[in-house]
Amino acid sequence: MEVPKDQIATLMEHGLYDSAEMLGSFLVSSSTVSAETSPQLKAENLILLGDALFHQREYRRAINTYKQALHHYARVPKQSSGSTRSSLSLSTRSSVSASSNSAINESEVRFKIASSHFALNETKAAISEMESVKTRSLEMNILMAKLHRNSGYNRGAIAFYKECLRQCPYVLEVVIGLAELGVTAKDIISSFTQTSSRSAKVSLDQIDPTRWLQRYVEAQCCVASHAYKGALELFAELLQRFPNNVHLLTETAKVEAIFGKNDEAIMRFEKVRSIDPYTLTSMDEYAMLLQIKCDYSRLNKLVHDLLSIDHTRAEVFVALSVLWERKDARTALSYAEKSIRVDERHIPGYIMKGNLLLQAKRPEAAAIAFRAAQNLRSDLRSYQGLVHSYLAFGKTKEALYTAREAMNAMPQSAKALKLVGDVHASTSSGREKAKKFYESGLRLEPGYLGAALALAELHLMEGRNGDAISLLERYLKDWVDDSLHVKLAQVFAATNMLQDSLSHYQAALRINPQNEAAKKGLDRLEKQMKGIDPDATDENDENDVEDVDGDTEEAELM
């Protein structure tokens, strides 16, 4: 043969896919191999070329090449290809031999076609290709589970995920997938003990003698069911056994962020980066926390580091969006949208996009982004975004329904109770109800500053300034927080206690020099203290307005 097939296999084993593709083009175009006389040989050659294209992520070309291979293979008489099942397959691990008497594994070819469609977000085409495969490997079942989940066929996804666990109980991404689809920890664990043949059961002690895997399943089910306190306890137990486990530390940090333990989450993410400075997983979540803390120095460094690791990942685009939010909201929005184009199942991308659209006074579009995040996996942030979006364009009924949905999903969450209170507080007739929900949230979680600030604002709106001050001053003992000082400053200013107001605005700016509310409040207060009406329009502005009116009248007369 003019072009030796084993050389192409060698090139692919060494990751030299460019060279393999070039050599493969010589192989399939050789005049010595006729599709009429040697259809199997032609198919084998095309599969080798398809492998090279697949590894280079040229998925369209790979699909076309694999389909040509199957077309030629269909013309091979059955007796010449049925003697052996060892395949000339699609990956380098099965391409070690390319002799003319090797058989073609059609299932593997179809799996690669389906994988290519999946990479191109062509879910229906991928499912259609995989349905003709009767006996599926572990990786095939994982692909089928993902395809069904992406299509909204959750029951089918659960069945395929469970089949994966029967084949291998340690596929942790499957555990997370099942938990997110609402499967109980008991049901997931029971799948471990069933063999793929279903004819026998394996003892759980054989699979997980120290029970760490069961604890991991329980932790992920707690996260999925919004039982964040239980999840943190289970992750803490696992971290005692695996103290520097980057995955466990990252999962814990994410839950702490959702739970409102921002300082602990930041410290946890810092530990992750100290152990593995090149990890990208959930680093966009870390960027969001740094933005909340207005720690722009660390945020800048984080984004710079992430860009140097891999500038193509969705997490990096979300981190860039977070960085640009303060400088240019339009650029920030474009980065958030780019993260979704890179990975349309990346939840922080939708959360960031929703927040930016809400700030840009585009609540209808923001609601669509938050709803997309909610459909992928509901958490407190998507509920909060949806509620505030609905309130922004006057859909109080939808806001209340969503807030109650959050409360039912997270009955032990003070933040969910506050969300219902926020909806009631948006109308004058609902303020008494709002007060009850805020107070319930504080009874459930006495240290929850968000509920205290909301209740203080309610006291201020109702003219109960003394109640607002006494409530907020209780939190000064335990909290060093700029928003707490800003709220106290606003209440003192409304009570005409200007000196106290001044000291709290200054305290807020010492904690966070970037706090815009403190800057604006201080500027307004200084005008008041100088005897200047802070609401008065500047004389020059008034003259400009009068001139414009005069010009309009003159134009009409002319």
Side-chain angles (χ1 to χ4, degrees), residues 107 127 129-142 144 148 160 163 167:
S107 295
I127 290 175
E129 199 66 47
M130 283 302 297
E131 280 175 345
S132 60
V133 178
K134 302 306 176 189
T135 304
R136 300 188 182 98
S137 64
L138 175 61
E139 57 187 340
M140 289 178 184
N141 279 318
I142 288 178
M144 284 296 274
H148 280 74
F160 282 111
E163 188 59 38
Q167 292 172 293

Side-chain angles (χ1 to χ4, degrees), residues 5-24:
K5 280 201 256 182
D6 59 336
Q7 292 303 311
I8 298 176
T10 300
L11 289 170
M12 286 200 291
E13 282 172 8
H14 289 86
L16 301 173
Y17 303 120
D18 270 335
S19 296
E21 183 212 332
M22 286 187 273
L23 192 58

Side-chain angles (χ1 to χ4, degrees), residues 333 337 340 347 349-374 381-393:
L333 182 59
E337 288 172 336
I340 295 166
I347 292 170
Y350 291 103
I351 297 291
M352 193 66 204
K353 181 180 178 180
N355 288 333
L356 290 164
L357 290 168
L358 202 51
Q359 289 169 25
K361 302 193 187 318
R362 295 169 59 191
E364 293 95 336
I368 293 169
F370 288 124
R371 179 60 69 189
Q374 185 88 335
R381 296 172 303 178
S382 54
Y383 278 123
Q384 288 170 331
L386 269 174
V387 168
H388 294 142
S389 298
Y390 286 140
L391 288 176
F393 62 97

Side-chain angles (χ1 to χ4, degrees), residues 293-355:
K293 284 290 178 184
C294 298
D295 193 341
Y296 297 111
S297 172
R298 270 202 286 182
L299 177 59
N300 241 317
K301 184 180 185 311
L302 173 66
V303 174
H304 180 270
D305 291 347
L306 297 182
L307 282 167
S308 67
I309 297 165
D310 184 353
H311 65 276
T312 65
R313 284 274 293 267
E315 293 92 336
V316 178
F317 289 118
V318 174
L320 279 164
S321 177
V322 173
L323 181 66
W324 275 91
E325 182 180 353
R326 194 167 56 112
K327 304 172 186 176
D328 184 346
R330 187 176 293 180
T331 302
L333 182 59
S334 72
Y335 278 126
E337 288 172 336
K338 195 160 188 178
S339 76
I340 295 166
R341 285 198 297 274
V342 169
D343 180 1
E344 60 180 19
R345 298 187 64 82
H346 191 63
I347 292 170
Y350 291 103
I351 297 291
M352 193 66 204
K353 181 180 178 180
N355 288 333

